[in-house]
Amino acid sequence: MTTIKVASSNESQIALSKRRKAEMPLLRRLRPTLLQLIAILSAIAFVYPLVWMALSSIKPNWEIYRAPLDLVPDNPTFDAYLSLFKTTPFVTYTINSVLYASGGALVSISLGMVAAYGFSRHRFSGRQFLMVGILSMQLMPGLISAIPTYLLMRETGLLDTRLGLILLYGAISVPFACWVMKGHFDTIPVELDDSARMDGASKLRTLLQIHFPLLVPGISSLFLILFTQKWSEFALASVLLRDPDKFPLTVGTYLLLGPDESDFRLMAAASLVNIVPILALFLFLQRFLVSGLTKGAVKS
């Protein structure tokens, strides 16, 4: 008897659900399908240029001119990649870009984390004013200070040096790193600091041994963002560097336009080389990205 009542109840709920669905407006019923369609079209719009670029890099130039929008090459060849790494110092450019991007990101995170720790754990007069001032410095376009930066680098002997560009990249993003890391520090209970202080730990030891393991997701997501910014930077590197052996990938790729601007497959291969390290780093750090950004999204 009980089984019959349960079955009857389930049937009535199913019928009620179907009736409610039938009474819903047509647009509301089609909304999930429309959203999925928009998502698919958006993905195609973003992915298609990357696929076209990758496949164009293995096409002969005449085939690109004949049918530019065709994806599948008739005569695939990897001559563009061989030419890229044999006739140009692209390996050196890649190493320089990794050095500049990772070094600049680490400098920004190190200085920003120390500053964020002070803003998060100490209450002092003018604290909010200083935080707004730091943010306002981040909002200024970098090219505004290009000429003063050039003169400063020349006077300090850092012009046309790898160390100078790393320090400059690091200094530019300290305000952003400070704001992001402060949000992460605010999520850590102050009681942990009190407990460490009672055990005789210094502030530096508390920061490195207690806070740092808890901040790994936030640091990873911030490193990915800063690395991507420095990796794609072109203007400052082209102004401050003169030695071709110190050029990053962005400047090195631009130089490929000089001798033969019609070699599209060479440009496509160079552009793909620019993208691959960023994708590899994203795949390696993606498990930290979402959790790191959401944990730091608190009101300061």
Side-chain angles (χ1 to χ4, degrees):
M1 190 71 175
T2 304
T3 304
I4 296 175
K5 289 182 178 180
V6 171
S8 177
S9 176
N10 291 336
E11 291 177 358
S12 61
Q13 290 179 359
I14 294 173
L16 180 62
S17 176
K18 290 182 178 180
R19 186 167 63 252
R20 288 178 177 177
K21 187 175 181 179
E23 294 174 354
M24 290 172 56
L26 179 62
L27 183 60
R28 187 175 178 183
R29 279 183 288 168
L30 294 177
R31 184 177 178 182
T33 304
L34 292 175
L35 291 177
Q36 292 178 1
L37 181 61
I38 293 174
I40 293 173
L41 293 177
S42 301
I44 294 175
F46 282 102
V47 172
Y48 177 82
L50 297 178
V51 176
W52 181 89
M53 181 177 63
L55 295 177
S56 295
S57 67
I58 60 175
K59 288 181 180 180
N61 266 331
W62 63 267
E63 190 173 334
I64 298 177
Y65 284 115
R66 185 194 65 183
L69 297 182
D70 287 351
L71 290 179
V72 181
D74 296 332
N75 301 287
T77 175
F78 292 91
D79 292 344
Y81 293 96
L82 297 177
S83 175
L84 185 66
F85 288 100
K86 284 186 176 181
T87 62
T88 64
F90 233 68
V91 175
T92 302
Y93 296 156
T94 304
I95 295 174
N96 290 337
S97 288
V98 172
L99 182 64
Y100 298 148
S102 58
L106 290 176
V107 170
S108 298
I109 292 174
S110 301
L111 297 178
M113 187 165 61
V114 174
Y117 179 78
F119 279 111
S120 177
R121 288 301 187 259
H122 298 282
R123 299 294 183 266
F124 51 88
S125 178
R127 173 172 166 269
Q128 292 296 330
F129 177 77
L130 285 175
M131 288 296 296
V132 174
I134 290 175
L135 180 62
S136 64
M137 293 300 296
Q138 184 64 42
L139 297 177
M140 293 180 58
L143 289 179
I144 291 179
S145 59
I147 295 178
T149 299
Y150 179 88
L151 297 176
L152 178 63
M153 300 283 280
R154 187 183 65 181
E155 294 299 321
T156 55
L158 294 174
L159 185 65
D160 196 23
T161 62
R162 292 185 175 91
L163 178 61
L165 195 62
I166 291 174
L167 294 177
L168 178 61
Y169 280 172
I172 288 175
S173 298
V174 168
F176 176 74
C178 178
W179 264 88
V180 173
M181 292 309 300
K182 181 186 178 298
H184 290 286
F185 274 113
D186 289 343
T187 63
I188 300 177
V190 183
E191 289 75 14
L192 291 178
D193 297 63
D194 298 335
S195 177
R197 186 167 55 251
M198 292 177 62
D199 291 337
S202 62
K203 292 184 181 297
L204 180 60
R205 185 177 179 183
T206 301
L207 177 62
L208 295 178
Q209 293 188 356
I210 296 179
H211 290 285
F212 185 81
L214 299 175
L215 294 172
V216 169
I219 293 175
S220 300
S221 59
L222 180 60
F223 180 83
L224 178 61
I225 295 172
L226 295 179
F227 186 92
T228 304
Q229 291 177 353
K230 311 311 174 189
W231 183 271
S232 58
E233 202 282 323
F234 170 80
L236 291 176
S238 62
V239 171
L240 300 176
L241 297 177
R242 289 292 178 266
D243 187 355
D245 290 336
K246 299 175 184 176
F247 287 161
L249 269 175
T250 50
V251 180
T253 303
Y254 174 76
L255 294 178
L256 293 177
L257 292 173
D260 187 7
E261 296 185 7
S262 62
D263 195 349
F264 286 107
R265 62 173 186 167
L266 190 63
M267 287 299 301
S271 300
L272 196 65
V273 171
N274 277 265
I275 295 174
V276 168
I278 297 294
L279 294 178
L281 183 63
F282 174 78
L283 292 175
F284 179 72
L285 296 177
Q286 65 175 341
R287 61 192 179 116
F288 299 112
L289 184 60
V290 176
S291 61
L293 292 176
T294 54
K295 286 182 181 180
V298 298
K299 184 178 180 180
S300 59

